Amino acid sequence: MRATNAVIVASALVAITTATCGCSPADDAESRDPTVIIHSTQFATAPTLITDLVPTPEQLTALYNATTNYSIREEDRALLLDGPSGLTLPIARAWGAQPRPQYIQFTALELVGPDKINATGPGRVEGLEPYPVGPIPFVRYNNEWKLSRAFVCGKLFLAAPQVCD
């Protein structure tokens, strides 16, 4: 009885091994595991709103660079431009879609009027040496400092004039 069970188990193992090996050629270099591509659903956070009477160059640097950071949600980038968000959303979308946005590090601020500041500093685009940038205007809108929508629209005039109508 034991010998019969052992033969049955051995035969079953041989059959399983033969079937498995017969289906998988030894020279098959391609993996049978499916490839999984994971896309993040997390967005970067926008910088904190600037409510100081006079912002610092570092605060304006973070604000400006966030406006072109496509990993920040469009709705959040729209809040960084002056004006109602319904008006600034298409502008933020076009502004953030630049193929090679420049990174700016503001080093100097100039108060040019009530609730208006111009910022200057070195800028750079990927692969290029730093170059002087500015003045770039920021305005105080609803007690928060924002990048001037008029400035952005001036830069988008040729690329996406319809968003600033």
Side-chain angles (χ1 to χ4, degrees):
M1 196 73 156
R2 282 187 168 174
T4 308
N5 285 344
V7 171
I8 294 172
V9 170
S11 298
L13 287 174
V14 170
I16 292 171
T17 305
T18 304
T20 303
C21 291
C23 295
S24 302
D27 61 334
D28 187 8
E30 190 174 337
S31 171
R32 298 272 180 208
D33 294 331
T35 302
V36 177
I37 299 173
I38 299 172
H39 293 282
S40 173
T41 57
Q42 298 296 317
F43 288 92
T45 57
T48 57
L49 301 174
I50 306 169
T51 57
D52 301 348
L53 289 177
V54 178
T56 66
E58 293 80 17
Q59 288 173 312
L60 294 184
T61 294
L63 189 153
Y64 177 88
N65 291 320
T67 65
T68 59
N69 183 344
Y70 217 59
S71 67
I72 295 175
R73 198 179 297 271
E74 288 175 349
E75 295 82 5
D76 294 337
R77 287 187 287 114
L79 296 174
L80 303 175
L81 304 174
D82 73 295
S85 61
L87 180 65
T88 59
L89 184 60
I91 298 168
R93 181 176 297 128
W95 183 246
Q98 298 176 56
R100 294 179 65 189
Q102 67 179 341
Y103 172 82
I104 299 175
Q105 182 177 358
F106 295 115
T107 55
L109 305 179
E110 177 187 7
L111 189 61
V112 292
D115 299 331
K116 294 181 182 176
I117 287 180
N118 282 342
T120 57
R124 66 178 187 269
V125 174
E126 183 180 308
L128 298 177
E129 290 295 317
Y131 49 88
V133 173
I136 295 182
F138 291 85
V139 297
R140 194 167 166 89
Y141 177 81
N142 286 342
N143 294 319
E144 297 171 1
W145 287 98
K146 311 280 185 169
L147 178 60
S148 167
R149 180 179 36 140
F151 168 78
V152 173
C153 284
K155 298 295 182 185
L156 290 174
F157 178 71
L158 293 176
Q162 71 282 2
V163 299
C164 294
D165 290 337

